[in-house]
């Protein structure tokens, strides 16, 4: 629904509104003292965040030439990881101080950051809303685009790698290996720094659907190898040997992450019709909240309950999804061409 609003009202205004709504929801945590009010604020925050991500994508699509969008997103992703590092440091300071005022200060800084984001977005050029839909055209046409829905589903499966470093691997280290517990934080720092330094370089060759399919396919091979390496970390009795194996797995995992990100950005943009960019980006972006919601359950069930076989099954699932992406993208591309030809015929009558 938020994506359709981007199309009707323009993505810049929607982005500003959702950034302000996010700031307001964060500020509300300073005053909430009941569970139900907290739940309502969390729902507003999550909704605004998801809508803001889709609106930013639609705004970027309207301001940046098609061949440059993936490169711009790669730069933004690098900056985002720098922000994550700063945020983690501030959170660590608040935890170290351990007072209510310190926690509240973090919330205030977060809200101010979203207000700054709204101010920056407001200074960008406006992107004109798309024309009203034709008679008989569905309000949310993306929901009837089955080829694009399949691509979105496969992307959501590939995004199951998102909770790996934040949840699954820390639990795996503690429960199944002899590696030191602090290694989980070190691997997270490695991932953040690697994306900051190399995401732009990895994304540079991805300029069309062919290179995007290739990037996703290679990412599947690399992440499957990473899963196999992570599985091996349960075997050594030496903590340092296990740590070395986990480090190797983390290097492979971040390489796969950067390749999959670049490929999926290009695919999500290029398969979306220009006149429906907002709703298509909103729909494609649902893979992120789905992965964050279902990923912890899937990963902990596979890895902590099944152990090494779970890692191998996860690697096989991600590999299969990455290879299935190629035919799915070709089908969506062919469908887009057929739809364009049909609209041209209708328009000529």
């Amino acid at each position: 629904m938020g994506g359709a609003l981007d199309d009707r009202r323009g993505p810049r205004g929607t982005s500003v509104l959702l950034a302000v709504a996010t700031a307001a929801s964060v500020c509300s945590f300073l005053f909430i003292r009941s569970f139900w009010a907290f739940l309502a604020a969390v729902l507003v925050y999550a909704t605004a965040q998801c809508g803001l991500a889709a609106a930013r994508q639609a705004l970027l699509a309207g301001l940046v030439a098609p061949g440059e969008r993936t490169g711009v997103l790669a730069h933004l992703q690098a900056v985002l990881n720098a922000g994550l590092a700063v945020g983690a440091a501030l959170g660590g300071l608040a935890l170290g101080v351990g007072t209510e005022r310190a926690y509240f200060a973090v919330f205030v800084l977060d809200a101010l950051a979203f207000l700054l984001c709204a101010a920056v977005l407001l200074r960008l050029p406006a992107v004109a809303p798309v024309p009203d839909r034709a008679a008989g055209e569905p309000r949310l046409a993306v929901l009837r685009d089955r080829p694009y829905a399949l691509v979105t589903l496969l992307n959501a499966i590939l995004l199951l790698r998102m909770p790996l470093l934040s949840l699954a691997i820390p639990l795996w280290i503690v429960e199944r290996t002899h590696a030191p517990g602090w290694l989980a934080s070190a691997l997270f720092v490695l991932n953040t720094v690697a994306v900051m330094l190399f995401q732009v370089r990895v994304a540079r060759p991805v300029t069309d659907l062919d290179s995007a399919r290739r990037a996703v396919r290679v990412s599947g091979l690399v992440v499957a190898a990473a899963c196999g390496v992570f599985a091996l970390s349960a075997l050594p009795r030496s903590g340092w040997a296990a740590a070395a194996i986990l480090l190797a797995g983390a290097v492979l995992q971040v390489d796969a992450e950067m390749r999959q990100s670049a490929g999926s950005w290009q695919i999500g943009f290029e398969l979306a019709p220009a006149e429906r960019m907002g709703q298509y980006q909103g729909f494609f972006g649902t893979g992120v909240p789905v992965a964050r919601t279902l990923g912890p359950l899937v990963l902990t069930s596979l890895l902590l309950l099944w152990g090494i076989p779970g890692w191998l099954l996860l690697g096989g699932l991600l590999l299969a999804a990455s290879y299935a992406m190629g035919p799915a993208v070709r089908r969506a591309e062919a469908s887009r061409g057929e739809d364009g030809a049909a609209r041209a015929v209708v328009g000529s009558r």
Side-chain angles (χ1 to χ4, degrees), residues 1-7 11 14-15 18 47 49-64 66 69-70 73 76 127 130 140-143 145 148-149 151-153 155-156 159 209 261-290 336:
M1 293 298 292
L5 181 63
D6 300 335
D7 291 334
T14 306
S15 297
L18 291 172
T47 302
Q49 273 282 278
C50 292
L52 178 58
R56 285 199 306 256
Q57 297 285 83
L59 180 60
L60 186 148
L63 297 177
V64 179
R69 291 169 184 167
T70 296
L73 272 175
L76 292 176
V127 174
V130 300
L140 292 176
V142 66
L143 299 180
D145 191 338
Y148 195 86
V151 170
T152 300
L153 174 62
N155 186 63
L159 287 175
L209 286 178
S261 294
S264 68
W265 293 332
Q266 186 72 28
I267 289 168
F269 276 127
E270 196 154 336
L271 291 179
E275 68 274 12
R276 304 189 194 111
M277 187 60 72
Q279 60 175 281
Y280 270 70
Q281 287 304 306
F283 186 66
F284 193 75
T286 57
V288 173
V290 168
R336 185 186 62 174

Side-chain angles (χ1 to χ4, degrees), residues 12-103:
R12 189 189 68 172
T14 306
S15 297
V16 172
L17 176 64
L18 291 172
V20 173
T22 305
S25 64
V26 170
C27 275
S28 70
F29 294 137
L30 302 175
F31 311 103
I32 287 174
R33 295 296 181 269
S34 70
F35 170 77
W36 292 111
F38 173 78
L39 181 61
V42 168
L43 289 175
V44 171
Y45 175 82
T47 302
Q49 273 282 278
C50 292
L52 178 58
R56 285 199 306 256
Q57 297 285 83
L59 180 60
L60 186 148
L63 297 177
V64 179
E68 300 174 3
R69 291 169 184 167
T70 296
V72 171
L73 272 175
H75 281 89
L76 292 176
Q77 187 71 9
V79 174
L80 172 64
N81 273 260
L84 287 174
V86 173
L90 292 174
L93 287 175
L95 288 172
V97 174
T99 65
E100 185 179 79
R101 286 187 177 182
Y103 299 144

Side-chain angles (χ1 to χ4, degrees), residues 111-188:
L112 290 175
F114 279 107
L115 291 177
L116 177 61
C117 171
V120 171
L121 290 169
L122 193 59
R123 294 178 64 85
L124 294 176
V127 174
V130 300
D132 292 337
R133 68 185 191 280
E137 182 180 345
R139 183 177 297 274
L140 292 176
V142 66
L143 299 180
R144 299 192 181 187
D145 191 338
R146 293 182 180 179
Y148 195 86
L150 177 60
V151 170
T152 300
L153 174 62
L154 292 172
N155 186 63
I157 294 173
L158 293 172
L159 287 175
L160 288 175
R161 48 90 179 159
M162 293 182 67
L164 269 179
L165 282 179
S166 60
L167 176 67
I169 289 178
L171 293 175
W172 174 261
I173 290 173
V174 173
E175 297 291 333
R176 294 287 189 138
T177 78
H178 292 86
W182 55 260
L183 185 64
S185 297
L187 295 182
F188 186 83

